[in-house]
Amino acid sequence: MDHVGRTVPPRSAEHARLADSSPDTPGDWKAIGPYISERAWGTVREDYSADGQAWQYFPYEHARSRAYRWNEDGLAGLCDRAQRLCFALAFWNGRDPLLKERIFGLSGPEGNHGEDAKEYWWYVDATPTSSWLRWRYHYPHAEFPYALLRQENARRNKDEPEFELVDTGAFEGDRFWQITADYAKALPHDVCIRISVRNAGPDPAELHVLPTLWFRNRWSWEAGVARPTIRATAETGNVGAIAEEELLGRWRFTAGADPAGRPPLLLFCENETNAKYLYGVTAEQTPYPKDGINDHVVHGAATVNPARQGTKMACWYRLNVAAGETVELRLRLARDGLGQTADLGADFERIHADRSREADEYYKALTPDSASEDEAAVMRQAFAGMLWSQQFYHYDVARWLAGDIIRPPQARTFGRNADWRHLNNHDIIAMPDKWEYPWYASWDLAFHCVVLAHIDPSAAKHQLLLLAREWYMHPNGQLPAYEWNFGDVNPPVQAWATLAVFRIDGGTDFDFLARAFQKLLINFTWWVNREDACGDNVFEGGFLGLDNIGPFDRSQMLPEGDVLEQSDGTAWMAKFCLNMLEMALLLANHQPSYEDVAVKFFEHFALIAAAMSRLWDDQDGFFYDRLRKRDGSTFTVRARSMVGLLPIFAAVELDAALWERLPMFRQRTRWYIENKPHLAEFLHMPPTNERPRLISLVGKSRMKQILARMLDESEFLSSYGLRSLSRYHREHPLIVNMDGHVARLDYEPGESRTGLFGGNSNWRGPIWFPLNFLAIESLRHLHTNFGEDFTVELPTGSGRQASLEQVAEELERRLLRLFLRNAEGQRPALGLNPRFRRGGAWCDLLLFYEYFHGDTGEGLGASHQTGWTALAGALVANRRLRHDRDSRRGRNISNWSSPASTASQEAEVAGRSCGNS
């Protein structure tokens, strides 16, 4: 229904399916999804070592032979929400030493810039219920260069670029397989699977395709769990199997013949560790272990069960494909008893056509009229990546620390995450990246939810509420940071995300808002008690997500008695305060008791604002961190970085209607302003006889000084957004002497040359989306209060004045330029390799990187970070929301166009020759 109670028809068939879900109930259509990670090896959960070296304890080579304890991985994987029954793809080009069952990449010690996936795959399309999914993979004809990738990356130093698969020559002459997997649901528990295999090369070639079905191994670890079974069964005109498990029931798997009419050979083994191969253990084990299918196909070993049953099976197709030709395979996985589930003909074709069309209708309803064709494609692929990155995440910390079948060393009992024994995760969670970051992080997840809110508001709300549940949130109120160290400190952005999700969804779900608010109160108290060492409202958060942005690692303890007072930590807390104030006011409109707590957050913000002023530097017109020594002396850490821009993000508008309807809040706020003028002066409010329209951490005068640096192209403003560190430090490195230890901060626009935090975590210059997105949102928010009369130079020194709305538009334009085709038909984010610049099979397949080169825009870091980088899609989708809002307000924003924007529009037209293959 709409806001006046009228029944409103769903905008598309997919919207109708989403109506079945809520924040607490996912709905039947989400029962199966792409919930399988691309990497389970090398994760903390699978690490039972004494030294915590997860990559070394469970390397890539073990993954095919070793049953996982906590979750599974695979290519284009599907599973149920508890990851009991799994499906994924495997391939063999006839030359590799092993089946291609999972994505290969390097661990941190193996790469010159840290861990990195060394393959090419894309999440091309997806709907929120997984009624339609598309995935693509490029696999070389030649032997996969595992050894070369390791050797060359080990040889290179940090001044040299990563050595990628495309650099090995593996794709020369277009000798590769272009493999596309399409999944279309006929019903919630009935998936029609189409695998298209195109030989992109100039010669005929053979490819082995092995669609694989298996059960996650629970029976080896958990007492009382019955072993499930997969067994071959006869199908009319096809081959198939029945998979049966005590909770899931019976599922029917049907595999059609190849284009030559040949049915696949069914291969069976057990999803159990090959202990004899890995460890030389001679104890009795199954003769058909997890790697049995691999060893049979690659080496001809007798390692598959001739009785044609097990807990893992594959359909073995051998395809001979002519040059440039495409062949298609069809399979179907459905709960038994649903009717004509074995049909792979006309019904199968109709379902694929319907779901593809419905996906188009769904995204058309989300796309603003002003979006170009290219922008709409960027939005859709960004959202698809976010949907594919929802993964089953299982981690019972108490059980992991104690061990079950695998007994960890005693030292581990007090090691990593030992203070988080209450944490017990068994959920579908939006991950930053399915390969490099196959685990959740609290502040990443907040940005993911803002993206999800556009496509699946119920899922976004569920994620925010889930993180604050008692089996996630620490009893002391801290939110878990990330798998490698749940006790680290991420920026407190959950309150901001809660408000954003609430508004994107229409601003009517006050039950969600109240539930989130109550838990965030506990988290706020933890922050105040634990991260304000001196009780003076200047905060020392530590890591705060900005790994290498300073001259030293802020997560490590400083010399005894020294305290680093953080500009960003304090600004984050000011924003947290204002977000909580805003939520309390919205809730007070429905329940007056919230007025009391609204006043509390108003007062707390005033104290933080007053304290924040101590971090302002009049000389540079910028906020800096400050090191307070144990002898009482202070030292300003003059790093021109994002920490100095963050304070402008802390602002809230006091809605006129709420101000009038909340007399207690109005009265007590006025009393505070009148009786504490030494604090109220930091609130930047108009005289008390007027309604205070805006409460902000930074006033107009300081705002202009900060923006002058932010919009200076020789400092923060890049052609592709805001750099995380000012380019000023390229010529003026910051050198800090801390009790004889010399720390240095240089502007590094590409990969980091320092292993300061994590090795490949680089915020020393590149552009990254979270704070750029917050900057754009904040500037638009400030514009609604400052109006058209408040202008700044854009860019600094140009003499051209722009309102804050126009600044936001220009920043958005520059960010999207990373992904849009330019005049040469190239996308800056995809880099300089000619293969990504000449169109065809590679040009329109987008990768949403972790961060981007501060000068060239080339994508760096994790290649599939479609968690926060999917905010690119939110930028496009937000236009529709703003248009609707401004239409209601009757607002007309003047259009400001930079010279670059005209060129960008011309480039868009010129680049359309780069077609999609």
Side-chain angles (χ1 to χ4, degrees):
M1 292 188 176
D2 66 9
H3 65 284
V4 294
R6 295 172 301 190
T7 300
V8 179
R11 290 180 284 169
S12 69
E14 181 66 10
H15 283 96
R17 294 184 193 104
L18 283 171
D20 186 39
S21 63
S22 73
D24 299 312
T25 306
D28 285 346
W29 276 92
K30 296 181 185 176
I32 303 170
Y35 308 138
I36 296 181
S37 171
E38 252 114 23
R39 179 174 66 84
W41 57 275
T43 61
V44 166
R45 284 162 287 165
E46 298 295 336
D47 177 18
Y48 285 80
S49 69
D51 58 11
Q53 298 298 315
W55 292 94
Q56 284 75 19
Y57 179 77
F58 199 145
Y60 179 81
E61 285 74 16
H62 283 202
R64 71 180 183 275
S65 305
R66 195 160 149 185
Y68 295 120
R69 168 64 181 91
W70 297 99
N71 71 306
E72 295 288 343
D73 60 16
L75 300 176
L78 295 180
C79 68
D80 60 280
R81 293 186 68 85
Q83 200 174 91
R84 291 189 173 93
L85 182 61
C86 307
F87 172 85
L89 304 180
F91 311 103
W92 188 48
N93 57 16
R95 297 177 175 86
D96 286 355
L98 66 155
L99 295 184
K100 178 60 65 177
E101 295 181 272
R102 54 190 52 82
I103 295 295
F104 171 72
L106 302 181
S107 70
E110 292 176 306
N112 57 324
H113 290 285
E115 64 267 19
D116 185 31
K118 296 299 181 187
E119 306 216 35
Y120 294 99
W121 76 103
W122 296 266
Y123 312 121
V124 181
D125 208 3
T127 55
T129 65
S130 303
S131 60
W132 170 256
L133 299 167
R134 173 168 285 175
W135 175 93
R136 183 166 300 171
Y137 176 60
H138 289 175
Y139 181 41
H141 287 178
E143 180 179 345
F144 196 92
Y146 293 105
L148 177 60
L149 286 164
R150 280 201 169 106
Q151 292 164 5
E152 181 61 20
N153 277 286
R155 184 195 66 77
R156 295 188 178 194
N157 60 39
K158 289 186 181 292
D159 291 319
E160 297 175 280
E162 293 275 4
F163 184 63
E164 305 293 355
L165 178 59
V166 74
D167 301 321
T168 67
F171 298 104
E172 287 304 309
D174 285 336
R175 289 179 169 84
F176 68 93
W177 299 101
Q178 184 185 58
I179 302 165
T180 304
D182 291 333
Y183 301 129
K185 290 182 183 177
L187 295 167
H189 301 91
D190 183 356
V191 186
C192 298
I193 302 163
R194 182 175 63 203
I195 304 166
S196 302
V197 177
R198 177 176 176 264
N199 178 3
D203 305 306
E206 182 183 58
L207 178 68
H208 302 246
V209 180
L210 295 102
T212 304
L213 187 72
W214 75 101
F215 284 104
R216 180 166 64 89
N217 189 331
R218 297 167 57 239
W219 58 93
S220 293
W221 315 91
E222 301 174 28
V225 174
R227 178 191 294 268
T229 60
I230 308 175
R231 63 183 185 277
T233 184
E235 294 284 350
T236 303
N238 302 304
V239 298
I242 291 291
E244 193 164 6
E245 197 255 5
E246 58 182 344
L247 295 176
L248 283 180
R250 288 165 55 95
W251 288 70
R252 185 174 297 274
F253 186 53
T254 305
D258 68 13
R262 297 170 301 186
L265 182 64
L266 301 188
L267 307 176
F268 292 82
C269 66
E270 302 293 341
N271 185 17
E272 294 185 2
T273 297
N274 188 341
K276 182 177 180 180
Y277 166 71
L278 290 173
Y279 313 117
V281 175
T282 57
E284 184 178 346
Q285 67 169 32
T286 174
Y288 317 114
K290 179 180 177 179
D291 53 12
I293 294 171
N294 174 91
D295 291 354
H296 180 75
V297 172
V298 177
H299 304 296
T303 49
V304 294
N305 191 344
R308 303 215 302 167
Q309 65 180 18
T311 50
K312 176 181 177 182
M313 67 87 66
C315 306
W316 186 10
Y317 292 93
R318 301 182 65 164
L319 304 178
N320 290 285
V321 187
E325 294 298 313
T326 300
V327 300
E328 180 180 303
L329 303 175
R330 295 183 178 185
L331 306 99
R332 196 158 181 170
L333 176 64
R335 183 187 288 166
D336 200 25
L338 293 180
Q340 299 298 316
T341 56
D343 184 88
L344 299 177
D347 182 57
F348 184 101
E349 292 177 2
R350 177 188 59 79
I351 291 164
H352 271 264
D354 286 349
R355 297 300 174 261
S356 177
R357 173 181 50 79
E358 290 163 1
D360 291 342
E361 292 168 353
Y362 171 74
Y363 279 106
K364 183 178 180 180
L366 295 179
T367 305
D369 293 338
S370 62
S372 69
E373 182 181 339
D374 208 8
E375 287 173 328
V378 169
M379 183 193 78
R380 186 163 175 170
Q381 287 193 49
F383 286 168
M386 185 72 262
L387 292 168
W388 272 91
S389 295
Q390 295 178 100
Q391 298 170 56
F392 171 75
Y393 185 85
H394 186 201
Y395 190 14
D396 180 340
V397 173
R399 190 165 187 174
W400 175 78
L401 286 168
D404 30 33
I405 300 300
I406 298 176
R407 292 294 175 183
Q410 184 64 28
R412 220 176 72 123
T413 305
F414 307 100
R416 174 175 287 136
N417 295 327
D419 294 334
W420 289 78
R421 294 175 186 271
H422 73 286
L423 191 142
N424 188 356
N425 303 161
H426 192 279
D427 301 285
I428 305 298
I429 308 177
M431 306 294 174
D433 176 289
K434 286 169 77 87
W435 190 89
E436 189 160 356
Y437 303 116
W439 32 261
Y440 67 92
S442 60
W443 94 301
D444 297 64
L445 189 58
F447 293 104
H448 303 170
C449 290
V450 172
V451 175
L452 277 172
H454 287 278
I455 45 182
D456 190 350
S458 290
K461 294 173 190 176
H462 169 73
Q463 301 281 285
L464 289 169
L465 294 172
L466 181 68
L467 201 65
R469 298 301 295 266
E470 55 272 21
W471 54 87
Y472 280 76
M473 178 185 279
H474 197 281
N476 65 18
Q478 185 179 10
L479 296 178
Y482 50 93
E483 183 177 271
W484 290 83
N485 183 4
F486 285 122
D488 212 335
V489 183
N490 280 175
V493 290
Q494 279 69 34
W496 164 77
T498 297
L499 275 168
V501 169
F502 172 78
R503 290 197 169 103
I504 291 168
D505 187 44
T508 59
D509 192 348
F510 288 94
D511 176 68
F512 159 70
L513 198 65
R515 291 172 66 187
F517 182 82
Q518 298 298 334
K519 290 300 184 76
L520 289 169
L521 274 175
I522 302 171
N523 181 236
F524 184 86
T525 302
W526 175 84
W527 267 88
V528 171
N529 291 337
R530 295 295 297 275
E531 298 301 332
D532 180 11
C534 302
D536 59 359
N537 295 292
V538 175
F539 291 82
E540 312 89 23
F543 164 50
L544 284 177
L546 304 178
D547 308 2
N548 281 344
I549 206 165
F552 46 84
D553 185 351
R554 301 189 304 177
S555 281
Q556 300 300 317
M557 296 296 292
L558 295 168
E560 185 177 355
D562 290 2
V563 174
L564 183 67
E565 299 178 332
Q566 293 179 228
S567 172
D568 54 335
T570 307
W572 283 125
M573 281 304 292
K575 185 170 181 61
F576 196 175
C577 257
L578 292 182
N579 292 146
M580 293 297 283
L581 167 62
E582 196 169 1
M583 276 193 277
L585 292 174
L586 288 167
L587 291 166
N589 193 43
H590 292 261
Q591 176 53 260
S593 61
Y594 281 93
E595 283 189 85
D596 279 328
V597 73
V599 173
K600 169 62 180 172
F601 282 111
F602 176 85
E603 294 176 350
H604 205 130
F605 172 78
L607 295 171
I608 294 175
M612 185 76 195
S613 190
R614 300 205 303 270
L615 301 180
W616 175 256
D617 186 84
D618 279 321
Q619 175 184 326
D620 290 351
F622 206 68
F623 285 102
Y624 292 121
D625 289 351
R626 186 173 69 167
L627 183 62
R628 179 136 48 93
K629 306 288 288 180
R630 55 187 174 275
D631 62 6
S633 62
T634 60
F635 173 78
T636 298
V637 183
R638 296 182 180 277
R640 292 189 193 168
S641 70
M642 276 286 186
V643 303
L645 303 183
L646 274 166
I648 67 173
F649 300 169
V652 67
E653 180 181 9
L654 290 181
D655 182 82
L658 285 179
W659 178 256
E660 293 304 320
R661 285 197 294 265
L662 302 175
M664 181 194 299
F665 177 77
R666 186 171 66 244
Q667 178 183 354
R668 289 169 64 178
T669 299
R670 282 177 170 163
W671 181 93
Y672 193 86
I673 294 169
E674 292 168 359
N675 288 274
K676 296 183 180 292
H678 62 293
L679 295 178
E681 67 176 295
F682 295 102
L683 298 177
H684 314 293
M685 299 171 67
T688 56
N689 61 343
E690 298 179 19
R691 172 178 67 87
R693 297 185 59 197
L694 181 75
I695 305 175
S696 64
L697 193 59
V698 181
K700 288 184 177 181
S701 175
R702 288 181 177 177
M703 182 83 66
K704 288 209 171 194
Q705 293 180 74
I706 294 172
L707 291 174
R709 292 205 182 279
M710 186 176 90
L711 303 176
D712 188 336
E713 292 181 316
S714 67
E715 291 218 32
F716 288 98
L717 185 61
S718 162
S719 297
Y720 305 102
L722 296 174
R723 304 175 175 102
S724 52
L725 186 72
S726 171
R727 199 174 174 185
Y728 167 85
H729 288 300
R730 183 174 65 176
E731 305 298 332
H732 306 88
L734 175 64
I735 299 173
V736 178
N737 191 323
M738 297 174 55
D739 296 334
H741 173 72
V742 178
R744 181 185 177 104
L745 177 65
D746 296 274
Y747 170 69
E748 298 178 79
E751 294 282 13
S752 173
R753 295 193 299 272
T754 175
L756 183 65
F757 192 106
N760 69 332
S761 296
N762 183 2
W763 312 129
R764 302 171 89 83
I767 298 145
W768 57 304
F769 261 80
L771 293 188
N772 272 269
F773 186 85
L774 284 176
I776 291 170
E777 179 192 77
S778 300
L779 289 167
R780 287 198 162 106
H781 185 60
L782 291 167
H783 174 79
T784 63
N785 289 277
F786 291 171
E788 298 288 339
D789 293 336
F790 185 89
T791 62
V792 292
E793 277 190 305
L794 178 61
T796 300
S798 67
R800 304 183 71 224
Q801 294 293 311
S803 70
L804 295 187
E805 172 64 33
Q806 292 164 342
V807 173
E809 288 176 2
E810 180 62 13
L811 285 179
E812 178 180 305
R813 187 178 295 116
R814 293 186 183 217
L815 280 173
L816 290 176
R817 192 182 294 161
L818 287 163
F819 305 105
L820 300 176
R821 294 185 294 263
N822 59 24
E824 290 75 38
Q826 301 160 359
R827 303 179 190 272
L830 297 183
L832 301 177
N833 191 289
R835 184 159 296 279
F836 294 98
R837 299 163 68 93
R838 66 177 188 229
W842 303 76
C843 179
D844 285 340
L845 296 169
L846 300 178
L847 293 172
F848 295 88
Y849 287 89
E850 186 177 1
Y851 46 85
F852 303 86
H853 194 286
D855 297 331
T856 69
E858 180 181 2
L860 302 167
S863 57
H864 291 72
Q865 229 286 8
T866 39
W868 65 39
T869 305
L871 290 165
L875 287 176
V876 178
N878 275 338
R879 294 181 196 166
R880 181 177 55 83
L881 299 181
R882 289 200 308 275
H883 178 269
D884 293 345
R885 181 202 64 201
D886 294 340
S887 296
R888 290 193 299 269
R889 293 181 177 180
R891 184 172 164 218
N892 182 23
I893 299 175
S894 60
N895 185 38
W896 186 88
S897 178
S898 69
S901 70
T902 304
S904 178
Q905 292 163 5
E906 293 172 353
E908 178 191 324
V909 175
R912 286 183 182 168
S913 60
C914 179
N916 192 7
S917 175

